[in-house]
Amino acid sequence: MDEMGKRSPTDRTQRSEVGPSTALAYLDPQYWDQRFSSEEHYEWFKDYSHFRHLIQEHMNPKSSVGICSRIVGNVSVAVEKMQKRLLSKGYIDIKVLEADMLDLPFGNSCFDVVIEKGTMDVLFVDSGDPWNPRPTTVSKVLAMLEGVHRVLKPDGVFISISFGQPHFRRPLFESPEFTWSIEWKTFGDGFHYFFYILRKGRRLGDAKGSGQRSDIPSIYLLQEELEGEDYIFRTDVDELDN
């Protein structure tokens, strides 16, 4: 940046090497095919070390865990790379599958924990007004949530790591067909990310966040935030051991 705080041409060039020219590219299968053909690994939001303590509260060595990715399109390259990385680290019991997050190919009640990190956020890229998302967006999000609810075991936990604030997410999480309780925590320095915990079969009349204030300044998944990818941090499989 220059002394006025504006991005220099160099900054813009480096930025474009990471993110697409428009947020809508995240919905384009070709974008992901090209990106993952050359990129080793990149994660949205903070790396695992920032929310490890929150994850570990809801898992044990015997937990059956499903993790939803936000990638769209032909992801065979990404799947193959991730499987090789995991095998090289000795994680022989972890399977990487290509599937549609709106139509999960798993049986009922098969996971103790389901985790998504930025998956639902990408469904809101072209949602319009965050207070009144387009019906097509709502349908997709509910389809994802219905699938997660279905594959969770009784008392299973759905963990959603997101930009979306509670006043945007709760109307969807609290849809009448779901039986889960809802709470949330935050993590991050300066900019906070939301860590939602939804436990199947524990729905309450008025679920509230775990000590969180309700007057958090409005932050939403805006196009300019997506385009910058300034919130992307590299992740390391080695951290799974910790």
Side-chain angles (χ1 to χ4, degrees), residues 74-101:
N74 181 4
V75 296
S76 57
V77 173
V79 168
E80 183 179 357
K81 280 188 173 183
M82 179 56 73
Q83 192 70 74
K84 287 181 177 178
R85 286 184 60 220
L86 292 168
L87 290 174
S88 70
K89 301 295 182 180
Y91 300 114
I92 60 175
D93 294 326
I94 299 178
K95 296 180 180 180
V96 184
L97 304 176
E98 178 181 350
D100 184 350
M101 65 183 180

Side-chain angles (χ1 to χ4, degrees), residues 163-174:
F163 266 130
Q165 287 187 286
H167 47 261
F168 295 124
R169 292 293 184 260
R170 282 186 63 179
L172 297 164
F173 290 151
E174 294 178 344

Side-chain angles (χ1 to χ4, degrees), residues 204-225:
L204 302 177
D206 183 24
K208 294 183 179 180
S210 179
Q212 299 302 305
R213 297 171 56 186
S214 60
D215 58 344
I216 306 169
S218 294
I219 301 172
Y220 191 67
L221 191 63
L222 300 177
Q223 179 165 321
E224 54 267 30
E225 292 171 333

Side-chain angles (χ1 to χ4, degrees), residues 70-206:
R70 65 184 181 87
I71 305 169
V72 295
N74 181 4
V75 296
S76 57
V77 173
V79 168
E80 183 179 357
K81 280 188 173 183
M82 179 56 73
Q83 192 70 74
K84 287 181 177 178
R85 286 184 60 220
L86 292 168
L87 290 174
S88 70
K89 301 295 182 180
Y91 300 114
I92 60 175
D93 294 326
I94 299 178
K95 296 180 180 180
V96 184
L97 304 176
E98 178 181 350
D100 184 350
M101 65 183 180
L102 306 185
D103 186 19
L104 297 177
F106 306 108
N108 296 343
S109 305
C110 60
F111 291 109
D112 297 299
V113 181
V114 173
I115 302 170
E116 72 91 3
K117 182 168 178 270
T119 308
M120 188 158 57
D121 291 65
V122 82
L123 296 177
F124 285 91
V125 167
D126 60 347
S127 64
D129 181 3
W131 293 101
N132 186 27
R134 293 188 177 99
T136 52
T137 297
V138 173
S139 295
K140 289 178 181 179
V141 173
L142 289 178
M144 174 190 168
L145 294 176
E146 287 168 3
V148 171
H149 191 272
R150 177 181 62 79
V151 302
L152 278 175
K153 295 179 181 179
D155 210 37
V157 175
F158 173 40
I159 293 172
S160 175
I161 302 171
S162 172
F163 266 130
Q165 287 187 286
H167 47 261
F168 295 124
R169 292 293 184 260
R170 282 186 63 179
L172 297 164
F173 290 151
E174 294 178 344
S175 187
E177 62 264 41
F178 305 135
T179 66
W180 44 38
S181 60
I182 305 168
E183 62 175 309
W184 60 86
K185 299 180 181 180
T186 60
F187 66 92
D189 300 321
F191 188 93
H192 286 154
Y193 303 91
F194 292 88
F195 187 98
Y196 293 96
I197 307 105
L198 295 84
R199 188 175 294 276
K200 186 175 180 178
R202 298 290 190 89
R203 183 159 185 162
L204 302 177
D206 183 24

Side-chain angles (χ1 to χ4, degrees), residues 219-236:
I219 301 172
Y220 191 67
L221 191 63
L222 300 177
Q223 179 165 321
E224 54 267 30
E225 292 171 333
L226 273 169
E227 289 175 350
E229 292 198 5
D230 294 331
Y231 44 80
I232 292 178
F233 292 80
R234 289 202 175 276
T235 186
D236 192 341

